[in-house]
Amino acid sequence: MPELPEVQTVVQTLSRHVGGMWIARVHCHRRDIITPAGADLASLLTGRRIQLVSRRGKRIIVRLDTGQWFWIHLGMTGRLTAEPADAPLRPHTHLCLDLVGGPDGTNLDISTPISAVACQVRFCDPRRFGGIFIPTPGQTPDDGMGPEPLEMTADQLAQCMSRTSRPIKSALLDQSIIAGLGNIYADEALFAARIHPLTSACKITPEPIARLCESIQKILRNAITAGGSTLRDFLDADGHRGRFQDLHKVYGHAADPCPTCTKPIRRIVLAGRSTHFCPGCQIQPRRTNARKIRRKST
DNA sequence: GTCCATGTTCTTTA
DNA sequence: CTAAAGAACATGGA
């Protein structure tokens, strides 16, 4: 569900509700969504003020007034919403935070009346691939993360890609190489840049790399403007669906005519994921596998 | 019943 | 060592 544009949309919509608010109470309905297992999230959060909600790759970073921070990952079906505390709970809601406003930290214990609760932040995730992550000492939000696609230069992208011979699609999905792309936007960006998904990442020349850099950034920006893509589950913090799914050119369009050349869009499986491309616009790289077939001695 | 799903991580295989 | 393929996680929709 969530790639960079969806996560960014959640961060933007959530920030309006929670920036500067105090966490009065923590309701955790499932302990196993928290990593490391057994961490005491309630005592970490209760009575603390939310200073900033931001994004790194697909992670939602929350900073508290104490300097402590943690992150939320939405996995495939995770939702982070801001709702009235008396709104009905969706099934699979695993965590709720009661937030109170105001310039001071009054009423920050269990005696806070429900009427003082400005809103509840809720984490709902049916498949539970997402979760709440508390960093280990010394860990930073950048650990294990490649560059931010919206801030990288074409040279940086070339550098990232020069270090692996894997298919470009596979490299784009690797968060330690570049942070934020997922299956939808990797396919859309490769189509826009006219690069075949099986092309070896280190064999792409500077010109197509520059095209890819521009395509990635243009698509991500447009998707953020459209509030992300809602295929099934995604909602922003206000419960609104995204609109970018209507602008997908190849993702989910197997067998449809290519919007550019009318050849049917193909779907293959690469790195275990559905991969969509136009065989007319995205030319297949020359086969690099050995011609000789080696026979094992028997 | 089958297949598929916006993600990540671990294991197996080559 | 590299990396590709497969499985696992858990739930629901078509």
Side-chain angles (χ1 to χ4, degrees), chain A residues 77-210:
Chain A
T77 56
R79 287 175 179 165
L80 208 52
T81 53
E83 306 176 48
D86 57 359
L89 273 191
R90 287 189 159 86
H92 305 291
T93 297
H94 308 309
L95 182 77
C96 298
L97 306 180
D98 287 351
L99 300 187
V100 297
D104 57 354
T106 54
N107 295 329
L108 288 180
D109 54 40
I110 54 168
S111 68
T112 302
I114 194 78
S115 59
V117 174
C119 74
Q120 225 174 37
V121 170
R122 295 175 175 176
F123 176 66
C124 165
D125 184 12
R127 288 172 75 177
R128 305 207 300 280
F129 289 172
I132 317 293
F133 298 82
I134 297 166
T136 54
Q139 193 172 13
T140 78
D142 291 325
D143 287 352
M145 305 284 263
E148 278 294 318
L150 288 172
E151 290 162 22
M152 70 184 175
T153 63
D155 280 350
Q156 270 179 291
L157 180 62
Q159 189 107 57
C160 297
M161 293 305 141
S162 70
R163 285 196 270 260
T164 180
S165 60
R166 293 156 64 186
I168 179 72
K169 163 80 185 270
S170 174
L172 292 178
L173 291 178
D174 187 332
Q175 303 299 296
S176 69
I177 295 178
I178 177 172
L181 292 177
N183 211 28
I184 297 174
Y185 299 103
D187 280 3
E188 293 295 322
L190 288 171
F191 171 74
R194 307 191 299 280
I195 297 170
H196 193 287
L198 286 171
T199 314
S200 170
C202 62
K203 287 187 179 156
I204 305 177
T205 52
E207 194 187 322
I209 283 282

Side-chain angles (χ1 to χ4, degrees), chain A residues 233-252:
Chain A
D233 301 291
F234 173 70
L235 298 177
D236 70 15
D238 296 313
H240 296 136
R241 294 163 52 85
R243 298 169 303 282
F244 195 72
Q245 64 279 2
D246 301 332
L247 301 174
H248 294 172
K249 305 231 171 142
V250 290
Y251 187 86

